[in-house]
Amino acid sequence: MPSPPEGRLQQATLDLLAGCDIQFRRETRLDIALVKNLPIALIFLPAADIPTFVGEGRVDLGITGRDQVAEHDAQLPSDEVSVVEEVLDLGFGGCKLQVQVPEKGNITEAKQLVGRNVVTSFTALAEAFFAGLESEGDVNKLARPGGGYNLRTKIKYVGGSVEAACALGVADGIVDLVESGETMKAAGLKAIDTVVESTSVLVKSKNTQNPLVELIASRIRGVITAQKYVLCHYNIPRSELSTASAVTPGKRAPTVTPLEDENWVAVSSMVEKKKIATVMDDLTKVGATDILVLTIDNSRTD
């Protein structure tokens, strides 16, 4: 199972593996680690390489960016179908692959870059994007046999520091990943279009036969769910149960427990973490008392 070795996905990935009780120790400078409590190995690879290893069937599961999967798929020959399958959106590492141009320039639309120089690390996605602009949506007009496009726009590859290309006179515009946008602003650039919206994803090979794939995916799914939800526990008059249950419907249904006072019940329900403050306000309005919010370390839900 490959994971990104550094950068924006690393720590979140390591935290996710810890939440899944995947125990390992990575020695300094080694890109492989054996898991102590499962018969699997972790391989630490650049995020851009992970779709290739998964696509070749050399590894069963990987964590990378959706943008990297899209770039991998866009590089495939026109007659080849990708075997990389997205299993789960992991909910971290959100960013956008955007077309950027100098803030003080006169370019305001991506189509104004047609025929000019564009620098990027995502050449396949950039080519497909500009093929759409040059062909007015019918990219088949420009498709070359075996893959790629016959473009007037000059797409050039740069592996890093893409944001410097315009200032150095190498490009009229760039296509690069943007998270907060602060780096681009500091480089004097502005976004004029979005090629792909991305987040971190769990991917697998469509051809895998490894029975551990579903086990690990299930564990990861449980951790992701636990991060999104809290457990809300409260007491409510039985006469207001239906109203309170509408406020906290849970994943399937709330858990209701009778109390010694037959006129009251205790309710437990999973609630989205981002909504819990409003939910507590609404429960108070309908007569709930002793409202407690508990964190969820892990879960198994559908």
Side-chain angles (χ1 to χ4, degrees):
M1 176 179 176
S3 303
E6 57 186 18
R8 61 190 175 91
L9 301 182
Q10 183 189 45
Q11 190 56 53
T13 299
L14 295 177
D15 292 343
L16 183 61
L17 295 177
C20 295
D21 193 31
I22 295 178
Q23 302 172 15
F24 67 95
R25 178 180 177 182
R26 183 186 178 190
E27 299 295 340
T28 304
R29 296 187 179 182
L30 288 182
D31 291 335
I32 188 167
L34 296 179
V35 174
K36 299 176 182 179
N37 56 339
L38 286 172
I40 60 174
L42 300 179
I43 306 170
F44 296 86
L45 301 169
D49 294 344
I50 290 173
T52 298
F53 282 86
V54 174
E56 292 289 332
R58 304 302 179 185
V59 294
D60 298 301
L61 280 171
I63 294 174
T64 186
R66 185 175 287 137
D67 53 295
Q68 301 292 353
V69 177
E71 175 71 7
H72 167 269
D73 291 352
Q75 292 174 353
L76 296 175
S78 56
D79 60 348
E80 186 175 333
V81 178
S82 175
V83 297
V84 181
E85 178 181 340
E86 181 177 322
V87 178
L88 184 64
D89 182 337
L90 301 178
F92 57 82
C95 60
K96 296 178 180 179
L97 184 64
Q98 292 187 317
V99 182
Q100 300 264 341
V101 295
E103 177 72 39
K104 296 182 179 180
N106 57 5
I107 298 176
T108 58
E109 296 179 291
K111 63 183 180 182
Q112 292 177 266
L113 287 171
V114 169
R116 301 194 185 191
N117 294 322
V118 175
V119 162
T120 183
S121 301
F122 294 83
T123 53
L125 286 174
E127 286 184 2
F129 177 80
F130 281 97
L133 295 179
E134 292 188 25
S135 65
E136 298 182 348
D138 187 3
V139 296
N140 291 326
K141 292 180 180 179
L142 302 178
R144 293 195 301 261
Y149 303 93
N150 294 310
L151 298 178
R152 287 184 288 131
T153 309
K154 301 172 183 64
I155 309 295
K156 300 179 181 180
Y157 175 81
V158 171
S161 301
V162 178
E163 68 277 2
C166 293
L168 295 175
V170 178
D172 299 295
I174 67 170
V175 175
D176 200 20
L177 288 176
V178 177
E179 292 182 70
S180 67
E182 294 302 317
T183 300
M184 295 303 171
K185 288 180 181 178
L189 300 173
K190 64 180 179 181
I192 57 173
D193 214 329
T194 297
V195 179
V196 171
E197 293 196 14
S198 182
T199 185
S200 53
V201 292
L202 178 70
V203 295
K204 73 172 184 178
S205 168
K206 293 179 182 178
N207 299 327
T208 183
Q209 302 292 323
N210 193 330
L212 288 174
V213 165
E214 185 51 42
L215 171 69
I216 296 171
S218 178
R219 287 191 182 188
I220 292 176
R221 191 176 291 110
V223 173
I224 295 299
T225 299
Q227 291 173 348
K228 292 180 179 179
Y229 287 85
V230 291
L231 186 64
C232 183
H233 182 87
Y234 59 91
N235 297 332
I236 189 79
R238 189 179 292 275
S239 60
E240 298 295 335
L241 176 58
S242 60
T243 303
S245 296
V247 177
T248 59
K251 291 280 286 184
R252 182 174 291 109
T255 300
V256 180
T257 306
L259 298 178
E260 287 192 10
D261 185 337
E262 62 181 17
N263 295 319
W264 285 74
V265 293
V267 179
S268 294
S269 182
M270 290 177 66
V271 175
E272 284 189 74
K273 189 179 297 185
K274 63 184 180 182
K275 297 179 180 179
I276 187 59
T278 301
V279 166
M280 293 176 73
D281 293 339
D282 292 342
L283 287 174
T284 301
K285 291 177 183 177
V286 299
T289 64
D290 305 317
I291 304 172
L292 302 176
V293 177
L294 310 175
T295 59
I296 304 172
D297 291 330
N298 211 324
S299 68
R300 286 292 194 277
T301 61
D302 295 331

